[in-house]
Amino acid sequence: MKILVTVKRVTDYEQRVKIAADGTALITEGMNFLANPFDEIAIEEALRLAKAHGGEVVVVSVGNKDATHQIRQGLAMGGNRGILVTTDANLDPDAVARVLVKVVEEEKPDVILMGKQATDNDANQCGQLLAGYLGWPQATFASKLAGLESPEEKAQKPGVIIADGKAEVVREVDGGLETLELTLPALITTDLRLNHPRYTSLPGIMKAKKKEIKEIAADSLGVDLAPKVREISYAEPKARSAGMTVESVDELLEKLRNEAKVL
Amino acid sequence: MTNVLVVTELQDGAVKKATLTSLTFAREAAKRTGGNVQALVIGSGVSAAAEEMSKYVAAVHTAEHESFAAGPVAEAYAKVIAQAATAAGAAVVCMAATFHGKDVLPRVGALLNAGVASDVLGFVDDSSLTVTREMLAGNVIATVEVATDIKCFTTRPTEFEAAQALDAVGAVNALTVELGELRTRYVKFDAVVSERPALSDARVVISGGRGLKEAENFPNLVEPMADKLNAAIGASRAVVDAGWVPNDMQVGQTGKVVAPELYFAVGISGAIQHVAGMKSSKVIVAINKDPEAPIFQVADYGLVQDLFKVMPELTEKI
Ligand SMILES: Cc1cc2nc3c(=O)[nH]c(=O)nc-3n(C[C@H](O)[C@H](O)[C@H](O)COP(=O)(O)OP(=O)(O)OC[C@H]3O[C@@H](n4cnc5c(N)ncnc54)[C@H](O)[C@@H]3O)c2cc1C
Ligand SMILES: Nc1ncnc2c1ncn2[C@@H]1O[C@H](COP(=O)(O)O)[C@@H](O)[C@H]1O
């Protein structure tokens, strides 16, 4: 089985991105960058599936050369090889999806695993777009029936069940959990409660240095990279006006009743 | 091609309130495109929902198929929505940014070659379709423009009022559904049964975090107060991950966005990812024993005390 897993290089969610004075750009110089947290979960799931069923895990990123670090992280976790589609442009999820279509046509994976959402743009689109372009079945927001504290999780079992050319996926939706069965090849996006991603080990990091990362120039793929959704400007959210500290339950109730009038 | 198509989301056969909030966005969009608003209702046995929607729009399209009885499947629904968009002459297709909307609408974008703006907050002016949306866990508000002929939007339910019915009733038109080959089978739905109001609709939300120390303290300390206030119960990611409560209770960047009249954060530190899901609440109360906890920066009323002492007293006196 061949599993393609995507990883996006994003700004550290613990840090605050600054906005340029004229509001037309985000300033990310000097910031920390990480693999998108949802993508680490996707990589972990890919590794568990490959262990359970045999097969290869290919880690793909679309971005500038620095995204090599995030691919290396995936390889250090246990991925077999990497592909970096290079571009200095800031692509929207739709352009990324159309670039990935080309990679999929070349690699012909059985399963594609992606994060549900990138923590920089919070778009939550790329997997759905890619599945739509490919005409593949999709299961977004994959979770599992057993919780993260369960024996299954501790035994590092995959949450996605694959058998007879089909994948059974449990999804987080409003009001409960939904189970879908997808005929492979299929695309799955991960939610936070699918697994706890492993840490990279020193031997893993050493081995990853020797693993292949193929580079492809995005410009060479014949894909129109212009964004379909243009980001025109950026602004800070309105801050909430300062609140007050109350000293007791009685004072809190008095305020809620007489000042805020919500009780 | 100037019309606006709003995709209806159903729950147990009835129209979800979130759809009516997206309808408010749709009406605003139609003023800008100069077209009318039409609705699409997908399912199996949807005549009641179609009749309900006909009170709000110029025309209702229904797409019925027996396979839809099991539940919504993005692969199938996206095809139907794309067909309906063409039938409706839609320049804009919108849907509430619920789990279902987020799952299906981007796929529609791929089928229609349309750009999709996610989780939209509103328009920037009275004439264009330029909208705002949050990025980076709500740290940044971006102004975005969808550059394609057909434009898709998922709309954040807490940012729009539910639309009111009109005087005229729209015509209902049944679409011929062509699904082609499908490779998704809807196996089952495991519902989390709750007697409480839904998180997204409740007037009061009480959310608990890791400060509650253990799972039993949700029933012991949070539920009695929620019972008294007819409140919904939410949670931080920390306690959802710990398995104390089900995942659909998570409030935040990657969970639900809520905006009740009154929000209690109990033993929640106020990480930016949590705040992203509740900062539009009208009144926020924080109960936390650490005066430095960031939750106090967004709270209207902060009580710096031990929640184990506060919660029983509050429940009794409220
Ligand atoms: C990609 C990503 C997405 C995320 N998405 C979300 C999301 O959608 N929603 C979300 O909530 N989080 C999200 N998080 C996690 C978030 O960063 C925080 O880790 C989480 O919100 C912390 O939960 P908490 O406040 O319950 O726990 P903690 O941060 O551990 O806070 C517990 C609080 O309880 C207080 N406390 C302890 N004992 C008492 C007592 N006896 N009385 C009163 N107070 C007490 C403490 O002072 C502390 O402030 C996300 C993280 C990442 C990386
Ligand atoms: N530039 C990129 N390179 C690799 N994967 C990406 C890229 N952009 C998005 N993705 C994948 O798509 C998922 C959803 O991203 P988004 O739709 O942008 O929120 C991410 O979790 C990644 O797995």
Side-chain angles (χ1 to χ4, degrees):
Chain A
M1 189 164 66
K2 191 195 266 191
I3 304 170
L4 199 77
V5 54
T6 54
V7 55
K8 184 179 187 189
R9 176 181 170 83
V10 296
T11 48
D12 185 341
Y13 51 81
E14 304 271 357
Q15 297 182 337
R16 224 184 154 110
V17 176
K18 290 200 187 67
I19 300 170
D22 66 358
T24 58
L26 298 175
I27 303 170
T28 56
E29 267 101 67
M31 288 186 72
N32 246 347
F33 285 83
L34 306 169
N36 181 35
F38 291 94
D39 298 347
E40 293 184 272
I41 295 169
I43 294 167
E44 176 65 38
E45 190 65 13
L47 295 170
R48 292 184 188 189
L49 284 171
K51 185 164 178 233
H53 303 282
E56 189 187 23
V57 174
V58 183
V59 182
V60 186
S61 190
V62 181
N64 65 23
K65 289 261 185 177
D66 293 334
T68 310
H69 294 291
Q70 281 64 44
I71 298 179
R72 283 269 176 244
Q73 182 190 336
L75 301 182
M77 286 170 73
N80 298 92
R81 61 188 170 86
I83 298 174
L84 173 62
V85 183
T86 55
T87 172
D88 287 328
N90 191 5
L91 303 188
D92 74 353
D94 191 276
V96 173
R98 283 176 294 113
V99 163
L100 292 173
V101 167
K102 300 290 177 185
V103 176
V104 171
E105 283 169 356
E106 183 69 30
E107 292 287 333
K108 301 188 175 54
D110 302 289
V111 175
I112 303 174
L113 275 161
M114 300 171 74
K116 79 162 179 182
Q117 167 177 352
T119 52
D120 51 1
N121 61 17
D122 283 332
N124 195 335
Q125 294 188 353
C126 204
Q128 297 87 316
L129 287 162
L130 178 56
Y133 285 122
L134 294 169
W136 287 16
Q138 76 184 46
T140 54
F141 324 147
S143 188
K144 64 168 134 190
L145 286 174
L148 282 179
E149 312 287 290
S150 67
E152 286 80 2
E153 170 62 17
K154 290 187 178 118
Q156 308 247 307
K157 289 231 184 72
V160 172
I161 298 171
I162 294 186
D164 305 326
K166 296 198 165 91
E168 196 171 278
V169 187
V170 174
R171 307 181 55 231
E172 296 188 4
V173 296
D174 274 319
L177 292 172
E178 183 179 278
T179 306
L180 297 181
E181 183 190 78
L182 315 176
T183 304
L184 303 186
L187 186 146
I188 298 162
T189 77
T190 58
D191 217 318
L192 294 168
R193 275 165 298 279
L194 182 58
N195 61 48
H196 276 310
R198 70 193 68 184
Y199 295 109
T200 48
S201 65
L202 196 58
I205 294 170
M206 298 312 286
K207 268 196 225 158
K209 290 190 173 151
K210 298 199 197 77
K211 292 178 183 171
E212 179 207 347
I213 300 180
K214 182 163 98 180
E215 287 189 16
I216 306 169
D219 292 339
S220 71
L221 294 172
V223 174
D224 179 3
L225 301 177
K228 284 185 181 169
V229 180
R230 291 193 201 122
E231 291 173 5
I232 300 170
S233 64
Y234 308 93
E236 302 254 354
K238 263 198 265 113
R240 283 184 76 92
S241 47
M244 64 178 295
T245 307
V246 291
E247 301 303 328
S248 65
V249 166
D250 290 325
E251 189 188 351
L252 174 63
L253 286 172
E254 193 274 320
K255 294 286 178 198
L256 291 178
R257 288 195 176 112
N258 302 326
E259 190 175 85
K261 298 192 179 9
V262 283
L263 279 184
Chain B
M1 211 190 68
T2 54
N3 296 333
V4 177
L5 181 69
V6 58
V7 182
T8 309
E9 187 172 345
L10 304 179
Q11 186 168 7
D12 304 323
V15 176
K16 268 199 176 181
K17 185 181 160 219
T19 297
L20 299 183
T21 64
S22 200
L23 193 55
T24 297
F25 172 90
R27 286 184 184 165
E28 283 296 314
K31 280 188 207 159
R32 291 160 170 80
T33 60
N36 65 19
V37 179
Q38 305 183 19
L40 170 64
V41 185
I42 313 172
S44 168
V46 297
S47 50
E51 196 187 315
E52 176 65 17
M53 285 309 287
S54 70
K55 297 177 195 156
Y56 293 88
V57 294
V60 179
H61 304 271
T62 59
E64 298 204 63
H65 195 272
E66 57 196 15
S67 72
F68 298 161
V73 165
E75 190 189 10
Y77 275 42
K79 284 184 185 174
V80 171
I81 296 167
Q83 286 160 15
T86 310
V92 170
V93 182
C94 66
M95 215 172 160
T98 56
F99 283 86
H100 178 50
K102 290 177 185 175
D103 179 40
V104 75
L105 203 65
R107 190 172 174 118
V108 174
L111 302 185
L112 291 174
N113 196 21
V116 187
S118 301
D119 216 359
V120 164
L121 308 174
F123 294 99
V124 295
D125 57 35
D126 293 333
S127 55
S128 73
L129 290 170
T130 306
V131 293
T132 53
R133 60 177 301 273
E134 287 185 352
M135 296 171 57
L136 293 150
N139 270 329
V140 172
I141 311 283
T143 296
V144 304
E145 185 179 78
V146 182
T148 47
D149 290 345
I150 304 179
K151 304 175 190 349
C152 295
F153 301 92
T154 56
T155 59
R156 182 174 285 191
T158 53
E159 296 295 317
F160 302 92
E161 296 286 329
Q164 301 294 322
L166 305 171
D167 295 332
V169 174
V172 179
N173 154 50
L175 295 170
T176 317
V177 176
E178 284 168 46
L179 293 179
E181 189 215 352
L182 291 180
R183 292 196 282 132
T184 313
R185 186 170 72 86
Y186 194 100
V187 179
K188 63 171 177 167
F189 182 64
D190 296 289
V192 179
V193 190
S194 167
E195 303 284 298
R196 293 183 193 288
L199 248 188
S200 34
D201 299 338
R203 198 184 74 82
V204 181
V205 172
I206 308 172
S207 286
R210 189 142 49 194
L212 283 164
K213 296 278 181 308
E214 52 190 12
E216 288 65 46
N217 288 325
F218 268 88
N220 291 346
L221 293 174
V222 181
E223 284 181 20
M225 182 166 147
D227 288 343
K228 257 186 135 164
L229 288 173
N230 191 26
I233 299 180
S236 71
R237 175 186 169 193
V239 304
V240 176
D241 270 3
W244 296 0
V245 295
N247 54 60
D248 71 337
M249 281 169 60
Q250 182 179 317
V251 171
Q253 178 194 17
T254 52
K256 285 213 173 81
V257 177
V258 300
E261 275 186 46
L262 180 55
Y263 187 92
F264 289 89
V266 183
I268 291 179
S269 59
I272 179 80
Q273 294 88 1
H274 184 80
V275 170
M278 44 68 86
K279 65 175 186 300
S280 303
S281 306
K282 194 167 152 241
V283 174
I284 296 173
V285 175
I287 300 166
N288 194 308
K289 67 176 182 190
D290 173 10
E292 303 298 321
I295 192 70
F296 290 120
Q297 290 164 21
V298 296
D300 298 286
Y301 303 107
L303 188 51
V304 186
Q305 279 183 26
D306 187 339
L307 69 87
F308 291 94
K309 185 181 143 286
V310 168
M311 290 302 281
E313 186 185 342
L314 191 54
T315 305
E316 192 194 307
K317 291 184 174 168
I318 221 158

